Amino acid sequence: IMNIDCDKFTDKGSDWKQGFVYPQDEFYTDANTKYYKCYNAPEGILKFAKENFSNSIVNMMKQPPGNFIPYHTDGFFIFKERFGDDKPIYRYQIFLEDWQPGHYFEVEGKSWAGWKKGDVCVLQQERHVSGNAGGTYKYTSQITGTLK
């Protein structure tokens, strides 16, 4: 498992914006798909993105307890709008804290648990899901971009 330095992570001082997952259905609504996002990240992640990606967008997400992002495949819409899609696009999902009970991430039917701070899951077109049935926020960072 790849690991990126994110020792200086804090959620203080970031401009967190609330969002909800769409599309919604009878099971997933604003009541259980809330998240917070900001376009900031620990210095080690920003450095990794600069060294390894030709173009990238870096953000952080915090998922409150009791909220879920149902199975989906990333469309990379914001990245494609800004940079085009003439090269393969990757999403590096980076866990900003050690795994906590109730924090959940699954890729193509394989669940992840027990991750360590800085562990990375590399995604392209894989279906994945994220959930927080724990008692603390779940923090991740994403690097979306084209590799050098």
Side-chain angles (χ1 to χ4, degrees):
I1 293 176
M2 182 187 324
N3 190 282
I4 297 174
D5 175 29
C6 54
D7 280 346
K8 293 188 168 66
F9 166 69
T10 178
D11 79 343
K12 307 284 187 270
S14 293
D15 187 20
W16 295 101
K17 303 283 188 212
Q18 181 176 292
F20 300 94
V21 175
Y22 297 100
Q24 298 184 348
D25 60 23
E26 64 183 304
F27 304 111
Y28 296 101
T29 67
D30 284 356
N32 65 1
T33 63
K34 180 172 30 175
Y35 63 87
Y36 298 90
K37 188 179 212 176
C38 70
Y39 290 91
N40 190 13
E43 196 56 44
I45 293 173
L46 296 173
K47 180 180 178 205
F48 180 89
K50 186 175 183 178
E51 291 171 352
N52 294 280
F53 287 78
S54 53
N55 290 306
S56 65
I57 296 173
V58 180
N59 66 10
M60 291 191 299
M61 289 185 73
K62 91 175 160 179
Q63 189 174 38
N67 286 270
F68 304 88
I69 300 174
Y71 255 115
H72 66 284
T73 302
D74 293 326
F76 310 123
F77 302 113
I78 295 170
F79 182 86
K80 288 176 180 179
E81 207 173 85
R82 194 175 297 171
F83 299 107
D85 63 356
D86 57 328
K87 293 168 70 177
I89 301 170
Y90 293 87
R91 173 155 294 155
Y92 281 38
Q93 171 86 4
I94 305 143
F95 298 97
L96 294 175
E97 296 181 324
D98 290 349
W99 176 83
Q100 298 291 315
H103 291 186
Y104 189 73
F105 190 69
E106 180 180 303
V107 180
E108 295 288 348
K110 180 184 175 206
S111 62
W112 282 51
W115 60 73
K116 298 292 183 197
K117 180 181 193 171
D119 282 354
V120 179
C121 176
V122 179
L123 301 166
Q124 274 190 293
Q125 293 299 305
E126 294 82 359
R127 285 177 47 81
H128 55 285
V129 62
S130 175
N132 186 351
T136 61
Y137 283 106
K138 179 166 73 92
Y139 292 96
T140 57
S141 181
Q142 291 77 33
I143 304 170
T144 303
T146 51
L147 297 170
K148 286 186 176 179

